Amino acid sequence: VSILKIISRKHWHAKNAKKIYKLPVYPVKEVHIHHSVTGWKDEAKQWKNIQLYHMVTKGWTDIAYNFGVGQSGTVYEGRGWDRQGGAAGYKHDRKSLSICAIGNFETETPTGAMVKAIGDWIVEGIERGSIHKDVKILAHRDVAATRCCGEYLYGTLDSIREAVKQPKALPKDDTLLSELNKAKTAIDKVISKLTKA
């Protein structure tokens, strides 16, 4: 069960994309972390404004990013899991998924909730088969001449990489459920043998 809270396009009232390009490389081997260089309060409204800026002012097909994340730790669907983004240049966008931190992280410090959500989003992508398990976690500045994703967010990337590498310990309830399932399987085998005898 995902603990990640993802707000779908429908729920943040996204405009329909003008054109959709599927990712040619899937699962992706890179994720790129960006920042929006906008305000961070009222993050859902900021996210919608980013889409309007990209589509209306820039004339792009949709919001550039696959996902966004607010200081609250809430994740917002952008282009989604299987569509090519438009945030780091054609060559890089063909083989990566992008997440944009809402705010300016040259001046703001990301919250623990935001940093954790980025790690959880990558883990979710790996679990659902959209992101390769040996993924490279990069900032936009690692693939282009830019300061993006901002100094303060860039400083958290190693901790995100560590969090993604370490498999999560199962909660006690899940462990108990797993033991019960094993026991049920053993009992079913015995019943099956007895009914055949």
Side-chain angles (χ1 to χ4, degrees):
V1 179
S2 171
I3 50 161
L4 194 61
K5 184 179 178 190
I6 299 181
I7 307 296
S8 69
R9 288 177 69 92
K10 180 183 167 192
H11 284 99
W12 61 265
H13 308 293
K15 285 167 71 77
N16 288 335
K18 294 177 201 166
K19 200 161 188 179
I20 288 173
Y21 300 95
K22 292 284 183 192
L23 266 165
V25 176
Y26 204 77
V28 297
K29 292 189 175 176
E30 291 182 6
V31 297
H32 298 157
I33 298 165
H34 300 259
H35 71 153
S36 62
V37 198
T38 60
W40 58 271
K41 291 178 180 168
D42 199 355
E43 57 194 37
K45 189 176 178 191
Q46 295 284 359
W47 188 240
K48 188 155 179 58
N49 286 342
I50 293 165
Q51 188 193 35
L52 291 173
Y53 175 67
H54 286 177
M55 292 183 80
V56 178
T57 309
K58 295 278 200 180
W60 297 345
T61 58
D62 196 356
I63 194 166
Y65 312 107
N66 296 96
F67 290 87
V69 59
Q71 289 276 40
S72 66
T74 301
V75 172
Y76 297 85
E77 183 183 20
R79 295 193 184 193
W81 291 110
D82 59 351
R83 284 176 54 199
Q84 186 174 314
Y90 180 73
K91 185 176 91 172
H92 296 291
D93 291 329
R94 288 170 59 78
K95 58 178 184 179
S96 67
L97 283 170
S98 59
I99 189 163
C100 177
I102 300 166
N104 182 348
F105 298 97
E106 280 292 309
T107 55
E108 297 287 336
T109 306
T111 60
M114 172 181 271
V115 173
K116 183 179 184 306
I118 294 170
D120 288 346
W121 169 76
I122 296 168
V123 169
E124 172 125 334
I126 293 168
E127 286 174 353
R128 70 191 307 284
S130 303
I131 297 173
H132 196 278
K133 65 180 173 51
D134 297 322
V135 64
K136 276 189 189 164
I137 300 166
L138 304 166
H140 187 189
R141 67 167 69 180
D142 294 325
V143 296
T146 173
R147 292 192 60 76
C148 184
C149 58
E151 208 54 44
Y152 293 114
L153 185 56
Y154 191 73
T156 69
L157 262 56
D158 279 342
S159 67
I160 291 169
R161 291 179 186 113
E162 279 307 305
V164 168
K165 260 195 287 187
Q166 292 172 349
K168 283 188 225 156
L170 281 173
K172 285 191 171 66
D173 290 353
D174 285 4
T175 310
L176 182 62
L177 195 60
S178 153
E179 292 301 320
L180 285 170
N181 281 333
K182 278 186 206 163
K184 183 184 178 302
T185 306
I187 291 165
D188 287 348
K189 277 184 188 167
V190 172
I191 289 170
S192 172
K193 278 183 187 169
L194 288 172
T195 51
K196 282 178 186 166

